[in-house]
Amino acid sequence: MAGRGDPPEGTPEGFPGGEDEYRSVVFDEAFIRAAHLQEFSAQERMGEYAQAVRSRSSWEGRSGSRQAVLLVLLILLAFGTAIYLGVRNPYQPPVDERAEPLRTTVVPLAPQGPVPGGTPTQLFAHSPVAEYRTGAAGINLPIAGRTSHFAESQVVTGLSIAKDYLVASSLEPDVLSGATVRPARLLLDPDQLEQFDRSVESPSDDGRHALAGWLVRFDPRQVALAEPAARVQGTLRFEETSPDTLDVTADHTYTYALRPAAQGSGPVAAASLFTVHRVVHFRFDREDLRMHRAELLTSTVEAGPQACGPDTTGSLKPLLAGARASDAGGGPVVTDPYATARPAAPALCGALAPSAQPSL
């Protein structure tokens, strides 16, 4: 009979036999009952790699939502700050204001003797314009700087628009000859176009519709330019008159060489000088600066030699070489149109100072 722990057929061949051979690895029943199986979780089986992948807790989900809300609030705060600064920015364009009508004053200056004649070169060389510059070169921009509410670039823009208008209305040959008014008209504030057009079509001495207040134009039936380029000198000044308006004052003297319109078949008639002293007060709001246009507040013109009698609210009617004024220049005030930066003659007609005529 086989012993306890031996196979029924006895100890297999080739193996060491006997119960004593396995006594060190045999567990008794008490040990087996005390032992129990423990199955580790997936996280426990991963060991040190368990921290690489983890599920988000409910708190982390709420934290992400709070971060999103905070981001939206920051964006709204930045947007609101930008709007506030835009409203407070002194350079922000306001609503465009309606332009005021232009107020005009035209004072003819009658000569006190015969009008000197000669060639344009001689006349210019022996008159106060000998050192004046030619054409637009005589309209110089001052040194510009910022004001309380206008940037330096805006001041330069206002001065440049004023110069453009002076060139278009005082130096453009087609405007001087009466062929067109378009160059000056294109630079005006739209609110003043109706007044300008009426001044061109039906000029009148009412302080509002004198064409000479808007531009220089000679009667093409009587005179023509003996030389295309005029001689010019004067100043431009600027000042801020309100947080939304910038004013520019132009004070310039223009001298033209003129001749009779019809020469005929005889010798060429002598030329003569005609002088126009213009003081133009411009006003620019921010929309004017942006649109490159001008609003004219006041315009004062002293021009001669011409007679006091004929209406000078439209085209100017110069007296040419050798002509005399019928009233011998009996105006109450002797006026020198080359003396700038002074009040205009307080009369409907003035006497042209002898010093303003060429000394040939």
Side-chain angles (χ1 to χ4, degrees):
M1 183 175 178
R4 184 182 178 183
D6 290 336
E9 295 85 4
T11 303
E13 225 176 278
F15 283 87
E19 185 174 334
D20 295 336
E21 189 77 23
Y22 300 97
R23 186 174 301 274
S24 61
V25 296
V26 174
F27 304 103
D28 57 17
E29 293 181 4
F31 178 83
I32 293 174
R33 284 195 300 270
H36 65 275
L37 296 177
Q38 179 179 2
E39 183 176 356
F40 292 98
S41 66
Q43 183 174 355
E44 291 172 332
R45 289 197 298 272
M46 291 176 66
E48 64 181 2
Y49 299 102
Q51 298 299 323
V53 180
R54 61 188 180 89
S55 60
R56 296 178 60 186
S57 65
S58 60
W59 168 254
E60 290 175 329
R62 291 193 298 271
S63 177
S65 299
R66 292 184 178 182
Q67 291 177 354
V69 171
L70 181 59
L71 179 61
V72 171
L73 291 176
L74 289 175
I75 293 174
L76 292 176
L77 179 61
F79 185 70
T81 302
I83 294 177
Y84 174 77
L85 292 178
V87 172
R88 298 287 294 177
N89 189 350
Y91 305 132
Q92 190 74 12
V95 178
D96 186 25
E97 298 181 1
R98 186 168 181 81
E100 301 177 11
L102 170 64
R103 302 187 302 275
T104 60
T105 302
V106 179
V107 180
L109 301 179
Q112 302 182 70
V115 177
T119 66
T121 301
Q122 291 175 327
L123 295 171
F124 285 140
H126 294 84
S127 70
V129 302
E131 303 299 326
Y132 281 19
R133 293 189 176 185
T134 301
I139 305 175
N140 298 314
L141 301 186
I143 298 175
R146 62 168 297 168
T147 65
S148 298
H149 298 89
F150 287 88
E152 180 180 344
S153 60
Q154 292 175 305
V155 174
V156 172
T157 298
L159 292 169
S160 299
I161 298 172
K163 177 177 179 176
D164 290 346
Y165 185 85
L166 296 176
V167 171
S169 62
S170 303
L171 300 175
E172 179 64 42
D174 288 341
V175 173
L176 296 175
S177 64
T180 182
V181 296
R182 181 175 174 80
R185 190 180 191 276
L186 288 176
L187 292 170
L188 288 175
D189 189 295
D191 294 335
Q192 294 188 319
L193 293 181
E194 182 179 354
Q195 182 187 9
F196 175 83
D197 292 340
R198 180 179 168 185
S199 301
V200 174
E201 298 166 2
S202 303
S204 62
D205 188 15
D206 60 358
R208 289 287 187 271
H209 299 94
L211 178 59
W214 296 95
L215 51 83
V216 177
R217 184 170 75 176
F218 301 112
D219 187 346
R221 298 168 297 180
Q222 302 296 324
V223 299
L225 294 174
E227 183 174 314
R231 301 298 188 267
V232 186
Q233 181 167 290
T235 60
L236 282 169
R237 303 186 303 274
F238 67 90
E239 65 173 335
E240 178 185 311
T241 53
S242 80
D244 295 319
T245 55
L246 181 72
D247 285 18
V248 174
T249 301
D251 188 344
H252 291 81
T253 298
Y254 308 81
T255 300
Y256 309 88
L258 305 178
R259 61 172 177 79
Q263 294 286 355
S265 57
V268 176
S272 60
L273 297 185
F274 188 83
T275 303
V276 178
H277 177 211
R278 295 183 75 193
V279 180
V280 184
H281 185 183
F282 298 90
R283 173 158 294 170
F284 301 95
D285 58 28
R286 299 182 191 280
E287 186 67 9
D288 291 330
L289 296 175
R290 188 179 70 86
M291 298 300 294
H292 199 85
R293 66 195 188 194
E295 173 189 344
L296 277 62
L297 285 184
T298 61
S299 176
T300 301
V301 177
E302 299 169 330
Q306 59 182 334
C308 290
D311 180 20
T312 56
T313 57
S315 297
L316 299 172
K317 299 175 177 62
L319 294 174
L320 301 178
R324 290 175 176 268
S326 58
D327 56 3
V333 178
V334 175
T335 302
D336 183 358
Y338 295 101
T340 59
R342 59 171 177 78
L348 297 179
C349 185
L352 184 64
S355 61
Q357 297 280 27
S359 55
L360 298 177

